[in-house]
Amino acid sequence: GYLIVWRDITKRKLVDDARQRARDELFVLLNAISSAASHTMNLDEFLSESIYQIIYSFRSQAIAIYLVDPNEHAHSEHRLKFASHIGVEPEQIALLNDSVTKAALMGWLEDINEEHPLVLSSSGQVRSDIPINIRQLNFAHIALVPLTVTIQQQVTPIGCLCLGRSEDDPFTQDELIRLTTISNQIAMLIDSDRRRQFAISLSERQRLLRDLHDSVSQKLYGLLTLTEAAQASIEAGVEIIPSEVLDHIGENARQALREMRLFLYEMQPANLDEGLVAVLHHRINAVEGRADMKARLINDDNIRLPKNKETDLYYIAQEALNNILKHAKAKNVLVNLRQTRQNVILEITDDGLGFDMKKVEQGGLGLNTMKERALQMGAKYKMTSKPGAGTKMVVTLAKKGQE
């Protein structure tokens, strides 16, 4: 005989399918967040894009991110920042951004026993240590998910993800597990960005200190040497030509002043939100225009480039202008930013000392840096110079595919 057993596996199949969909959705979210980290220009853009990806996947009506400011003192009331949000009404922002609320959340994050998500419900018991009034925020449930990284085998909070759900449908354990995974990914990317920014800042500070020592300090030392030599000659009764000595002193003083202005300008980060043309105008007016040098910027109207291309062009222009200021002894500088139907062209010309391109030291004057940056952005780079005939640099960037 035969024994036939019929089992209804519909319910189990539905559960398995739901879990598979949740796993697939989690991988899509993680990839989207990683992609946002690679192509966004700053932390604010990354946070906005990340929470936009999250809010609808978890059927939430509002989402916000708090971040711990690493520059604030450990006990500062401003240590936790309300960094980004979507769907949060103005009156809700006032409650969530209240100093008492942020202090309580910071205390919760620092509690080593609270490494897992915390769910607050309008129908549940209110926690006295988290003064968030669910009913006043018009949410049925709020999920607080820590953003943590492990530093020297110690879990360190760097912020908190906050989701608000209006419908009376609690956050499930599976949702909280996925939120924890996503929060860990976001925390890791934020921490990596902060470390990268710190390394860049440290490197730039060291470069500026090195430049200050190699340029301004040397010019001031030259001034001191000239004045001491002149004074010694006068005391020894040696005849000197005052005009020649003063000319040397004046030239060293002017050069030191130029390079000090450049040093102070570079201490201020360039704000490219104003656009490439505006930043170049500001640079020329602040440095070259005040350095006994006639500097002009000629530009076409309506030059539009992606922000990263504008940034690359600006740093190429900055390196070229720095070289002119430090080495060329030019009287006139012309920066020409123009466009044709196919290209955007940056051209910088000076009437300075020039140099023999065959004899210049490999990588000298930052030439390799400018060339490599141009090649990385897909542009053509050309520099021409002759001793006594000035220098001309041209960067040509194709418009095609740049929008």
Side-chain angles (χ1 to χ4, degrees):
Y2 295 93
L3 176 63
I4 299 175
V5 179
W6 293 88
R7 292 180 180 175
D8 186 356
I9 62 171
T10 304
K11 185 175 181 181
R12 189 176 70 183
K13 183 68 167 59
L14 291 174
V15 171
D16 289 342
D17 288 346
R19 287 176 177 173
Q20 184 60 47
R21 284 196 300 272
R23 283 193 291 268
D24 292 343
E25 185 180 84
L26 176 61
F27 286 124
V28 169
L29 275 174
L30 292 175
N31 287 332
I33 290 169
S34 297
S35 176
S38 65
H39 74 255
T40 50
M41 295 296 295
N42 52 52
L43 181 60
D44 290 339
E45 288 184 15
F46 167 67
L47 293 178
S48 296
E49 190 159 333
S50 296
I51 61 178
Y52 180 81
Q53 297 285 346
I54 296 170
I55 184 170
Y56 299 109
S57 299
F58 289 90
R59 297 181 293 108
S60 301
Q61 283 66 54
I63 183 172
I65 283 188
Y66 293 91
L67 286 183
V68 178
D69 189 341
N71 298 317
E72 289 287 345
H73 189 269
H75 301 292
S76 171
E77 61 178 6
H78 304 295
R79 194 176 179 209
L80 195 65
K81 305 288 186 181
F82 192 68
S84 187
H85 63 87
I86 292 177
V88 184
E89 300 296 332
E91 58 272 15
Q92 295 172 331
I93 292 177
L95 292 170
L96 292 172
N97 202 28
D98 181 75
S99 59
V100 176
T101 300
K102 291 191 294 184
L105 287 175
M106 192 68 238
W108 169 69
L109 287 172
E110 290 176 335
D111 189 342
I112 60 172
N113 296 320
E114 296 285 3
E115 295 178 7
H116 302 291
L118 172 65
V119 177
L120 306 177
S121 174
S122 59
S123 59
Q125 186 177 0
V126 178
R127 286 185 54 149
S128 59
D129 59 328
I130 305 291
I132 297 180
N133 192 323
I134 304 295
R135 296 182 182 87
Q136 196 171 357
L137 290 171
N138 296 322
F139 294 128
H141 306 280
I142 287 181
L144 300 174
V145 189
L147 301 174
T148 61
V149 293
T150 302
I151 301 175
Q152 295 179 348
Q153 298 182 343
Q154 181 176 357
V155 176
T156 302
I158 66 167
C160 174
L161 186 65
C162 177
L163 288 86
R165 181 177 287 177
S166 299
E167 57 193 61
D168 194 12
D169 186 8
F171 289 94
T172 66
Q173 188 63 31
D174 182 63
E175 285 180 315
L176 295 176
I177 291 172
R178 285 186 287 138
L179 277 170
T180 300
T181 303
I182 292 168
S183 297
N184 288 339
Q185 175 82 348
I186 293 174
M188 181 190 69
L189 292 170
I190 292 173
D191 184 61
S192 297
D193 179 73
R194 285 179 173 177
R195 290 175 183 273
R196 182 177 62 84
Q197 293 295 338
F198 177 76
I200 292 173
S201 176
L202 184 60
S203 176
E204 184 67 10
R205 184 181 303 175
Q206 291 172 341
R207 185 187 69 80
L208 289 172
L209 289 174
R210 185 170 59 251
D211 287 351
L212 180 62
H213 176 268
D214 294 342
S215 57
V216 180
S217 296
Q218 294 298 324
K219 296 298 184 298
L220 294 177
Y221 180 75
L223 280 172
L224 180 61
T225 302
L226 284 170
T227 54
E228 287 180 345
Q231 185 178 8
S233 298
I234 292 172
E235 291 175 353
V238 178
E239 186 176 350
I240 63 172
I241 303 176
S243 60
E244 292 183 358
V245 175
L246 292 175
D247 284 344
H248 285 302
I249 291 175
E251 178 58 31
N252 275 270
R254 281 190 293 273
Q255 188 66 20
L257 183 59
R258 291 189 196 113
E259 296 187 8
M260 178 56 77
R261 282 185 178 138
L262 175 61
F263 175 78
L264 294 174
Y265 180 84
E266 290 188 336
M267 291 291 288
Q268 307 171 17
N271 182 14
L272 282 160
D273 291 338
E274 301 175 6
L276 177 60
V277 172
V279 177
L280 285 174
H281 267 298
H282 184 266
R283 155 68 196 236
I284 289 172
N285 291 334
V287 182
E288 283 74 19
R290 301 176 63 188
D292 193 26
M293 183 185 296
K294 292 182 180 178
R296 290 189 302 153
L297 171 62
I298 300 176
N299 63 275
D300 289 345
D301 295 330
N302 300 320
I303 297 178
R304 295 182 179 178
L305 288 171
K307 183 64 69 65
N308 61 327
K309 303 299 181 184
E310 287 193 341
T311 302
D312 287 331
L313 278 179
Y314 172 72
Y315 283 119
I316 291 172
Q318 177 178 262
E319 188 68 39
L321 291 170
N322 290 355
N323 287 339
I324 294 169
L325 191 73
K326 293 178 181 179
H327 309 293
K329 296 185 179 179
K331 295 297 182 182
N332 297 280
V333 179
L334 175 63
V335 179
N336 191 343
L337 184 64
R338 64 184 189 275
Q339 62 182 341
T340 64
R341 294 185 66 179
Q342 291 82 25
N343 303 311
V344 172
I345 302 168
L346 172 67
E347 184 178 292
I348 300 179
T349 309
D350 72 78
D351 61 355
L353 298 176
F355 58 92
D356 188 342
M357 296 190 64
K358 295 181 180 179
K359 295 182 179 180
V360 70
E361 181 182 349
Q362 184 73 15
L365 305 181
L367 302 185
N368 279 355
T369 302
M370 291 186 285
K371 184 176 181 180
E372 289 172 3
R373 190 181 285 273
L375 293 176
Q376 287 175 0
M377 67 186 295
K380 296 180 180 178
Y381 171 87
K382 183 179 180 181
M383 177 171 283
T384 55
S385 184
K386 291 182 180 180
T391 303
K392 180 178 181 179
M393 183 208 71
V394 182
V395 176
T396 305
L397 176 64
K399 288 182 179 179
K400 184 178 180 181
Q402 297 304 317
E403 294 299 333

